Amino acid sequence: MVTETPLFAALLLLLVTLLGVNTSLTRMRLKISDGDGGDKHMHRAIRAHANALEHVLPFVLLLYFYEQSPGASPAAIRWFGGLFLAARVGHAVAMLRGPFDLRRLAATMTIVLEVWLALALLRNLL
């Protein structure tokens, strides 16, 4: 049985945790107790964390289900996981400080990988 998913789950959830810590530190630095206080840096920190969570959890579940499906390939799991991790790190960096083009590229990669993995899982199950 293939057991690649826990590594990517740990790395991706570490990213989500670090973005959560960034949100808390930004909140403390700016002395904003609720919401974004109208501050663009606070808003970006909140959205970077939430956006990562919105995509990481479904992807990790898809990766796990793919791993458990007949015909799962360790190489495919490494490619899906590695590219997705790179896309999410790029997206987080771009949301917090980077250029919009990086954000757009990373968001596109995220969606393509999610759809591609879902189709690969369906192919293995049907």
Side-chain angles (χ1 to χ4, degrees):
M1 177 192 300
V2 181
T3 57
E4 304 289 330
T5 298
L7 172 64
F8 291 108
L11 292 172
L12 288 163
L13 292 171
L14 178 61
L15 173 64
V16 170
T17 300
L18 291 173
L19 289 169
V21 168
N22 178 64
T23 300
S24 295
L25 292 174
T26 302
R27 190 173 294 289
M28 287 187 286
R29 181 174 48 83
L30 297 174
K31 296 178 176 58
I32 298 172
S33 60
D34 293 319
D36 64 15
D39 185 274
K40 73 177 186 175
H41 298 293
M42 186 74 245
H43 180 76
R44 285 180 181 177
I46 291 167
R47 284 307 309 145
H49 180 227
N51 190 280
L53 195 58
E54 291 164 3
H55 289 279
V56 164
L57 289 180
F59 183 84
V60 167
L61 284 172
L62 270 175
L63 197 62
Y64 173 75
F65 292 138
Y66 174 79
E67 178 181 85
Q68 300 304 311
S69 69
S73 160
I77 292 169
R78 284 185 212 110
W79 276 104
F80 281 125
L83 289 173
F84 189 81
L85 178 62
R88 295 316 306 168
V89 168
H91 191 269
V93 167
M95 281 197 79
L96 295 173
R97 291 178 187 85
F100 186 74
D101 286 344
L102 175 60
R103 183 175 168 186
R104 186 180 349 193
L105 174 64
T108 301
M109 279 181 58
T110 294
I111 298 301
V112 166
L113 288 164
E114 289 169 342
V115 170
W116 193 3
L117 181 55
L119 292 173
L121 173 59
L122 286 171
R123 186 189 68 231
N124 283 358
L125 295 176
L126 300 177

